[in-house]
Amino acid sequence: MQAATQDPSPQYSSKDLASAEHAQSFWKIVWEQFITHKAALIGLFIITLFILIALLAPVIAMVTGQNPEVQNPMNRYAKPMTEATLSADQRENAVTRFQELNPEPSAQIRKEIAEKQLFTFVREEDALYDLANAEPDVQKEVFAKLESPGHLELKQTFDQFSRFHLFGTDELGRDVFIRLVYGTRVSIGVGILVALASAVIGLLIGAMAGYYGGWVDTLLMRVTDALLSLPTLPVLIVVSAVSVDKVPGLRSIITQSNENIMKLVFILVLFSWMTVARLVRAEVLSLKEREFVLAAKTLGARDRTILFKHLFPNVIAPLLVSVSLGIGESIQFEAALSFLGLGIQQPTASWGNMLFNAQDLITEAPFLAILPGILILIITICFNYLGDGLQDAINPKSIRR
Amino acid sequence: MTNFIIRRLIQTVIVIALLSYFCFYLMTLMPGDPVDLMIQSNPRITSEDVARLRNLYGLDQPTYVRYWNWMSGILQGDLGYSRTYRIPVSDIMGPKLVNTFVLSFASLALALIIAIPLGVWSALRAGTKTDYVIGFFAFSGVSMPSFWLGLILIIAFAVWIPWFPAGGTETIGVDHGSWWSIVTDRAYYLVLPTVTLAYISIGRFLRFTRSAMLEAMRNDYIRTARAKGLSRVVVIWQHGFRNALLSLITMVTLSFSGVFSGATITETVFAYQGVGKLVYDSIIANDFNVAMISFMISVSMVLIFNLIADIMYSFADPRISLS
């Protein structure tokens, strides 16, 4: 600055001049401010990572060969980083079950093994049992050469014999790692869905209250204040115990197939739109006195046009902060309710209901209680830092310094 | 002033009345009704008996009639009978309320003792490493799922290092000789829930103290006090902190209600016999009378605390207009 006032013709390149003369867009300024907040940037990075994991959950399941719902009662509470192997008895049972379920393909596979002499066995009828008890290397070799239809299914059965559990197994012998991966889907999905839905509802109600004023404002804000003053968790506990069938009209929104998740989303949205509504109302109250609204009115714009075209774009920025903080909060409430057994139900995995079971097992398997909670903590911290960073970037006056 | 208090009082009473009806209606929407639960253990019951039972308990009447009967009972001091405990509801509530109050205020006190000095310290070191570390501590507190923190504390300090009991309110079946042994026994059970609940609120208090203190230290009279050559301690505590105190008091009164309602899940994790756990237990056990009363009490407590906070707020800061 000092240099510029003393020397009116500094050596700027034409590119610098062009960028200085060109007005920066609002979002570019926000972004440049945002990337100076390191914690928020790290938060954004971790959130992106988690969303990727959530989206790629089926791929991860395929690559690791794990299934979040496959139970294995013989292998409960396996410690993290253990390789679990089935006993000879259990292997033979599995093979019997496979042969009973797929008699045709197993006969073909047995025949193929006998014809090609893929490994040494005693009798053709028992070839699959012998294979089950053979060395893993032999099994691998055989499966590489098999071509008969059904050998892929057989391989799946054989894959169950020995598997590696990165984070151990739970009380039903399910792999904790893949359940955490699928839980990411549910937890983050519910969080984002609830935050977005309450943002839309809050935006509409807040904008209506702020723009129209008068009795509309009084009525809407009384309801908002009354709901805000309620203790969230006791209310959520009572409301989530309500059965969907007894509420008239609710069955048309929440069907049997999506009840597990949609009921929870519905309840959380019901009690989380108020902060957004208050925020939007305050913004709209100050915005509607500005000249550009007066100009639009003078030009004969309808209320709807003014609200949607002129006011909404101006509240998006503060709304974004509130959505970011709202996702973190919704994830916590989902986890809390699922932890109490009132949210997402088994067998669907969510970070909260994984803790519900772990609660009773703190002496046998403390690791079950530690991991889901750490994930909830990390993701909430990230969303809170993200909201903090956005707040600073959008409203530089509030920067903590 | 009186006008304001009366208006707020009426508002609170109206909200509580509306809520009680809403809550009563919710209870009718829950799976199973009292008669269903009564007859499920009796396979030979006839449909006439069921109808007679429904008529006896008034369950065949519309919701608003039943609400009216229930409400007039409550106004006459009859809170109903608990299905699970087999005693009148009024006998259950007293001790549970006391337990919740003790837990809430103990954790509030602990949170303030830790949050205020740390907040002041981080405000004085704004922008340094200390500030960032304390800031991260605050953020982790705000983001911490309280039930998980409770579980971890149980694993660490009740299972691995058995210093404290994993849950409960007091040792059952012990004859306490003196009131002192009762107090120490209860305090022993209070430690883990109090720490859990306090840690959740520390983050919010800490961030608030920090910004209030930063605001106060920016004033001109701080520079004047420094210029006069006053010692650092006097400047910080007598000139800075005293001015930050007003907004701090406001925040603490406003957070009473939050601490009270936040106790719900902590009580459940530690099997601590308070109102929050009672709400949860009675809902799970289909104990409608207890669920209604305990829920109404926990909601009313929060609303009353909000009312008190509002009134105290207007006393503390004469700039707030009451009209």
Side-chain angles (χ1 to χ4, degrees):
Chain A
M1 258 308 176
Q2 207 96 57
T5 43
Q6 281 169 4
D7 178 12
S9 57
Q11 301 302 305
Y12 286 131
S13 72
S14 58
K15 208 173 132 201
D16 284 340
L17 277 174
S19 78
E21 281 165 8
H22 182 261
Q24 278 186 306
S25 83
F26 173 67
W27 292 109
K28 202 175 166 208
I29 299 173
V30 166
W31 174 249
E32 275 173 7
Q33 190 68 50
F34 178 79
I35 52 178
T36 60
H37 194 307
K38 276 202 199 80
L41 208 60
I42 296 172
L44 182 67
F45 176 73
I46 296 176
I47 289 167
T48 318
L49 202 72
F50 271 102
I51 291 179
L52 271 181
I53 290 176
L55 291 176
L56 296 177
V59 179
I60 296 172
M62 216 166 65
V63 171
T64 55
Q66 303 280 13
N67 184 321
E69 285 171 26
V70 163
Q71 303 177 0
N72 185 357
M74 307 308 290
N75 185 26
R76 298 152 67 195
Y77 315 128
K79 290 244 154 45
M81 306 290 283
T82 45
E83 181 101 30
T85 348
L86 293 188
S87 68
D89 259 13
Q90 290 162 352
R91 295 180 198 207
E92 284 173 12
N93 283 341
V95 172
T96 313
R97 210 175 321 128
F98 177 81
Q99 299 202 35
E100 277 167 4
L101 289 174
N102 318 289
E104 284 288 303
S106 14
Q108 275 184 11
I109 293 172
R110 282 199 300 266
K111 216 167 131 198
E112 192 186 343
I113 291 176
E115 277 169 3
K116 297 191 187 166
Q117 286 294 327
L118 292 176
F119 75 111
T120 48
F121 54 89
V122 190
R123 287 166 53 199
E124 192 190 317
E125 293 89 273
D126 298 334
L128 290 187
Y129 293 107
D130 291 342
L131 184 61
N133 289 326
E135 294 292 315
D137 294 344
V138 178
Q139 291 178 1
K140 211 177 264 173
E141 229 169 84
V142 172
F143 276 112
K145 288 175 191 160
L146 274 180
E147 278 157 6
S148 312
H151 78 273
L152 283 176
E153 285 80 2
L154 184 66
K155 187 167 188 310
Q156 268 178 12
T157 312
F158 271 62
D159 281 344
Q160 304 281 341
F161 291 169
S162 162
R163 43 186 31 199
F164 177 67
H165 297 292
L166 185 60
F167 294 145
T169 58
D170 66 4
E171 72 283 354
L172 294 172
R174 296 175 294 198
D175 183 66
V176 171
F177 167 72
I178 200 71
R179 283 185 76 73
L180 282 175
V181 169
Y182 272 84
T184 313
R185 252 184 169 193
V186 174
S187 294
I188 293 188
V190 167
I192 291 178
L193 217 56
V194 169
L196 286 183
S198 33
V200 171
I201 294 173
L203 181 65
L204 289 178
I205 289 181
M208 258 170 24
Y211 188 72
Y212 290 111
W215 66 268
V216 179
D217 184 29
T218 315
L219 179 76
L220 289 177
M221 281 305 114
R222 277 285 161 278
V223 175
T224 311
D225 285 346
L227 282 176
L228 262 182
S229 67
L230 295 181
T232 323
L233 212 61
V235 171
L236 287 178
I237 289 175
V238 170
V239 174
S240 48
V242 167
S243 99
V244 177
D245 290 311
K246 289 197 180 178
V247 186
L250 204 57
R251 260 289 168 233
S252 52
I253 313 170
I254 302 172
T255 59
Q256 215 91 49
S257 56
N258 64 18
E259 177 172 347
N260 200 357
I261 289 171
M262 287 315 284
K263 184 184 167 194
L264 188 67
V265 171
F266 189 83
I267 291 168
L268 288 180
V269 170
L270 216 55
F271 294 98
S272 59
W273 54 268
M274 295 88 69
T275 35
V276 180
R278 298 225 67 161
L279 178 96
V280 172
R281 174 179 173 269
E283 287 285 323
V284 168
L285 272 183
S286 84
L287 282 171
K288 77 170 180 182
E289 304 297 332
R290 300 268 194 89
E291 285 81 1
F292 68 91
V293 176
L294 187 66
K297 268 190 191 149
T298 322
L299 288 170
R302 279 174 304 178
D303 283 351
R304 208 177 55 199
T305 321
I306 294 175
L307 271 177
F308 283 85
K309 282 229 162 123
H310 299 287
L311 294 183
F312 282 4
N314 284 298
V315 289
I316 294 239
L319 198 65
L320 215 60
V321 177
S322 164
V323 166
S324 170
L325 298 175
I327 295 177
E329 204 166 54
S330 308
I331 290 178
Q332 291 242 331
F333 280 128
E334 180 272 319
L337 281 179
S338 301
F339 170 74
L340 292 174
L342 293 163
I344 307 287
Q345 302 295 325
Q346 299 277 353
T348 309
S350 95
W351 293 341
N353 73 12
M354 292 177 73
L355 283 173
F356 173 64
N357 298 323
Q359 183 180 198
D360 301 329
L361 305 164
I362 44 174
T363 40
E364 294 100 320
F367 56 89
L368 287 181
I370 293 170
L371 274 170
I374 288 180
L375 293 186
I376 299 172
L377 178 62
I378 290 177
I379 200 81
T380 325
I381 290 184
C382 289
F383 274 112
N384 282 346
Y385 266 125
L386 179 66
D388 201 45
L390 282 173
Q391 177 79 53
D392 287 357
I394 285 161
N395 182 5
K397 269 182 283 178
S398 74
I399 289 190
R400 14 179 284 155
R401 212 155 275 149
Chain B
M1 189 70 202
T2 6
N3 228 335
F4 165 77
I5 294 177
I6 291 172
R7 219 183 40 241
R8 282 290 280 111
L9 208 65
I10 294 174
Q11 257 176 25
T12 308
V13 171
I14 291 177
V15 171
I16 291 179
L18 282 176
L19 261 172
S20 69
Y21 185 77
F22 175 67
C23 180
F24 193 86
Y25 179 65
L26 278 184
M27 294 288 160
T28 66
L29 296 178
M30 286 180 191
D33 66 42
V35 173
D36 283 344
L37 293 166
M38 245 178 265
I39 60 177
Q40 69 191 178
S41 54
N42 186 350
R44 280 182 300 176
I45 201 157
T46 61
S47 53
E48 287 88 62
D49 285 339
V50 174
R52 206 164 44 77
L53 270 175
R54 279 187 193 282
N55 187 277
L56 181 69
Y57 287 99
L59 287 174
D60 48 355
Q61 284 163 326
T63 311
Y64 63 89
V65 177
R66 284 162 54 197
Y67 173 72
W68 182 248
N69 292 338
W70 178 76
M71 202 60 199
S72 45
I74 286 185
L75 293 178
Q76 285 160 23
D78 172 22
L79 300 186
Y81 207 72
S82 161
R83 238 174 52 80
T84 28
Y85 298 91
R86 313 255 173 222
I87 46 172
V89 175
S90 44
D91 291 359
I92 309 174
M93 297 310 306
K96 307 248 173 186
L97 256 176
V98 172
N99 286 346
T100 299
F101 269 110
V102 170
L103 174 60
S104 304
F105 283 98
S107 65
L108 189 65
L110 180 64
L112 288 176
I113 289 170
I114 297 173
I116 291 180
L118 279 183
V120 171
W121 191 27
S122 98
L124 296 175
R125 297 279 163 88
T128 63
K129 272 215 178 75
T130 322
D131 184 32
Y132 275 107
V133 171
I134 296 179
F136 184 78
F137 173 70
F139 250 109
S140 69
V142 173
S143 318
M144 181 73 75
S146 58
F147 50 96
W148 181 68
L149 179 63
L151 274 182
I152 296 302
L153 288 182
I154 291 177
I155 291 177
F157 297 110
V159 179
W160 287 348
I161 318 170
W163 281 347
F164 299 104
T169 319
E170 58 192 325
T171 313
I172 299 167
V174 174
D175 188 26
H176 293 292
S178 62
W179 62 270
W180 178 245
S181 105
I182 298 179
V183 170
T184 46
D185 181 53
R186 292 212 152 206
Y188 197 50
Y189 280 87
L190 257 175
V191 173
L192 293 185
T194 307
V195 170
T196 308
L197 200 50
Y199 187 53
I200 311 297
S201 14
I202 284 176
R204 201 159 16 102
F205 291 163
L206 210 164
R207 278 161 65 85
F208 197 91
T209 312
R210 180 183 180 279
S211 64
M213 194 63 191
L214 271 183
E215 195 78 23
M217 294 301 280
R218 219 177 270 149
N219 283 315
D220 288 341
Y221 52 73
I222 297 291
R223 201 184 309 147
T224 314
R226 279 202 182 122
K228 274 200 300 191
L230 292 180
S231 75
R232 199 175 142 76
V233 177
V234 173
V235 172
I236 291 170
W237 293 104
Q238 296 215 344
H239 291 84
F241 184 67
R242 274 187 98 168
N243 281 286
L245 207 57
L246 180 71
S247 46
L248 264 178
I249 292 174
T250 321
M251 180 214 43
V252 170
T253 49
L254 281 175
S255 59
F256 279 150
S257 60
V259 171
F260 191 84
S261 75
T264 309
I265 203 155
T266 312
E267 283 173 5
T268 313
V269 174
F270 288 98
Y272 184 85
Q273 299 300 323
V275 181
K277 183 170 160 47
L278 194 63
V279 173
Y280 174 70
D281 284 351
S282 53
I283 290 283
I284 295 292
N286 278 320
D287 197 346
F288 295 108
N289 282 334
V290 179
M292 279 294 308
I293 300 290
S294 53
F295 178 68
M296 283 318 298
I297 284 184
S298 58
V299 171
S300 307
M301 276 301 144
V302 168
L303 291 176
I304 290 168
F305 275 133
N306 281 342
L307 176 69
I308 296 171
D310 267 9
I311 294 170
M312 278 167 74
Y313 186 49
S314 51
F315 270 120
D317 191 347
R319 280 166 299 188
I320 307 286
S321 89
L322 298 172
S323 44

